[in-house]
Amino acid sequence: MGTAPSAVHEASASVRVSRRQGASPYLLVCDHASNFIPARFGTLGLDEADLTRHIAWDPGALPVIRRMADALDATLVESCVSRLVIDCNRPLDAPDLISPVSEATEVPGNADLSEADRQERIALSWRPFHDAIADVVAERLAEGRETRLVSVHSFTPVYKGVDRPWHIGIIHDDDDRLAGPMIGALRGVVGLEVGVNEPYSPADRVYFTLERHGRARGLACAMIEIRNDEIGDESGQRRWAELLSAILAGVNPGQPNFANTTRSA
């Protein structure tokens, strides 16, 4: 009979770092890479079908960012636990860190958690994820390596009954060293509807990981949101990975260039 994994093992298994010595200046991050829920949480009271929906992860984001990491020779840090357990892209005091309702879906396993339950989930997934990113950034800076942070997410074509026309959105704050060139390049692609701080902006509390590890250190960073029907199959994933990798490879952040493009919320 097997034994239950230790807390230390589970924590180490909740984050994956790939290509740690990659030559690229980019550090790629996937906060919502997985819909995996450790066995002790069951299904959090949800149907199995719910665990394949966007509420559990960002469908398509992981295959895209892995292809990007390969193409760019970039380090990749990915969370390996569903955001239904805990959302690694939220500060610890966020009301939706462990949400009892995701979009319009009640999550019974997240209701009425004790402080001990909350700390267990932080130790399981949130802290290892952020520790891993912090360690990689610290190593790179100690070695004098240029470091730019880019996270990749996906979003639903319809949210609470409202259509979202953008194929891709670039999210950034007042530092657009990466976002500006990316937006310009994407707007040059015929047929693409490009959102600037759409469908989210930093005001929606979606920029936490980049704020914590990038902006706090003065590093250039940007968040990519791809509509998930664009990356639902291998062909779409490959197409977007190739496009984004080529754009990132050609970006030269240079000096800070502040743009007044942040959507108010």
Side-chain angles (χ1 to χ4, degrees), residues 30-238:
C30 200
D31 306 78
H32 304 141
S34 176
N35 62 350
F36 173 71
I37 297 178
R40 69 177 180 275
F41 299 113
T43 64
L44 296 174
L46 298 173
D47 294 336
E48 291 292 341
D50 287 327
L51 303 184
T52 66
R53 293 172 49 210
H54 185 82
I55 63 171
W57 61 334
D58 280 350
L62 182 59
V64 170
I65 202 170
R66 282 183 171 173
R67 287 179 179 273
M68 292 172 64
D70 289 344
L72 294 165
D73 191 19
T75 302
L76 168 61
V77 182
E78 62 191 73
S79 172
C80 302
V81 175
S82 172
R83 64 169 156 212
L84 287 170
V85 175
I86 188 167
D87 193 332
C88 289
N89 193 28
R90 297 292 185 272
L92 290 177
D93 60 354
D96 54 352
L97 177 71
I98 305 172
S99 184
V101 178
S102 184
E103 297 181 12
T105 302
E106 292 188 5
V107 186
N110 288 350
D112 302 319
L113 295 183
S114 68
E115 182 59 22
D117 292 333
R118 182 176 175 277
Q119 291 301 323
E120 176 189 18
R121 297 195 191 190
I122 292 170
L124 167 69
S125 181
W126 190 97
R127 201 166 304 284
F129 178 71
H130 287 286
D131 285 351
I133 299 173
D135 288 348
V136 171
V137 171
E139 287 175 10
R140 294 176 66 95
L141 297 184
E143 295 167 1
R145 301 173 63 194
E146 181 186 1
T147 299
R148 314 168 187 172
L149 269 68
V150 172
S151 63
V152 174
H153 296 252
S154 68
F155 66 94
T156 56
V158 179
Y159 181 69
K160 295 185 176 179
V162 178
D163 289 337
R164 291 158 144 181
W166 314 282
H167 299 102
I168 187 169
I170 303 299
I171 316 304
H172 69 98
D173 57 12
D174 57 350
D175 178 1
D176 74 340
R177 286 174 290 174
L178 289 183
M182 291 170 64
I183 292 164
L186 287 164
R187 283 178 168 169
V189 179
V190 175
L192 277 191
E193 186 72 27
V194 182
V196 178
N197 285 325
E198 298 285 3
Y200 305 106
S201 83
D204 299 313
R205 302 190 319 273
V206 300
Y207 210 63
F208 171 70
T209 296
L210 296 182
E211 289 172 346
R212 179 182 177 94
H213 300 285
R215 293 294 277 140
R217 290 181 175 269
L219 304 177
C221 55
M223 178 176 171
I224 298 170
E225 286 271 2
I226 309 169
R227 203 174 67 197
N228 65 27
D229 61 341
E230 288 284 310
I231 51 176
D233 59 25
E234 185 177 355
S235 174
Q237 293 157 9
R238 182 175 58 253

Side-chain angles (χ1 to χ4, degrees), residues 5-12 123-124:
S6 68
V8 171
H9 173 75
E10 286 201 349
S12 67
L124 167 69

